[in-house]
Amino acid sequence: MKQFLGVLSLCYKLYVGLIFVTTLLFFYPFIWITLARVSWRKWSFPINVVWSYTVRILSFIWVHRLRKVKLPKGPYLIVSNHTSYFDIFIMYSLLPRHRFLFMGKSEILSYPLMKTFFKKLNIPVYRNDRIKSAKSFIQAKNAIKDGWSIVIFPEGGIPDFDLPQMAPFKEGAFKLSKNAQIPIVPITFLDHYHMFSDPDQVLGYAHPGISRVYMHDIISVEKQNGMSETELSDYVFDVLAGPLRQRALMK
């Protein structure tokens, strides 16, 4: 039975991969045009929102918000746990009215189609190069000044084991929020780790279904100013981990 479910999961992964590539190829020319000039970049965001909804619908994913929070006018820092590639494309349709950029690992630039798309629209982070990392930080601050919110997965990537439990946070995200003086919007994804496991796990879990999302209270600038970067990192970790711990206790 386990092998049979694994084969079904693999078929779903291949289907989602096909949907992703096909829709990306369709929307790519429109996104490419909006990235031709810096002043046009803001128009790429609604295209990404439509792309996100398209992939979601064709992949049979429904989002259920366990808790809603009214967001103020941005910009702000958006942080969440990271267990699946679903976290990325669902974020656009989760927050369709608040334009944002991703800060993510530079390894994404090795993917041919994603290279131009990611580098021109989002902010690659070069972990092993201090000078380039500093430039990424400055780029993020400039984007914030232009009205963009920033999305960061503080774990620095998808943990290799014990999902959905989180890996220790890197403090760069919280250095940015305190330095730029912007609120933090914490979001917990509860189901993505089993809805679309790492493609390297060939027969790992993958299936359509309901994605439960928990939006936490906004962490104000004033509250952040009363904490060090380490204290803020630990606090946000506990906030995001709360719904995951509750879920584990209910099993």
Side-chain angles (χ1 to χ4, degrees), residues 224-242:
Q224 293 179 58
N225 288 340
M227 305 181 195
S228 68
E229 289 168 16
T230 301
E231 290 170 336
L232 180 57
S233 175
D234 292 342
Y235 175 75
V236 176
F237 184 98
D238 287 337
V239 167
L240 292 180

Side-chain angles (χ1 to χ4, degrees), residues 106-117:
S106 59
E107 287 87 341
I108 294 174
L109 301 179
S110 62
Y111 304 139
L113 269 178
M114 296 298 292
K115 183 175 181 179
T116 303
F117 171 77

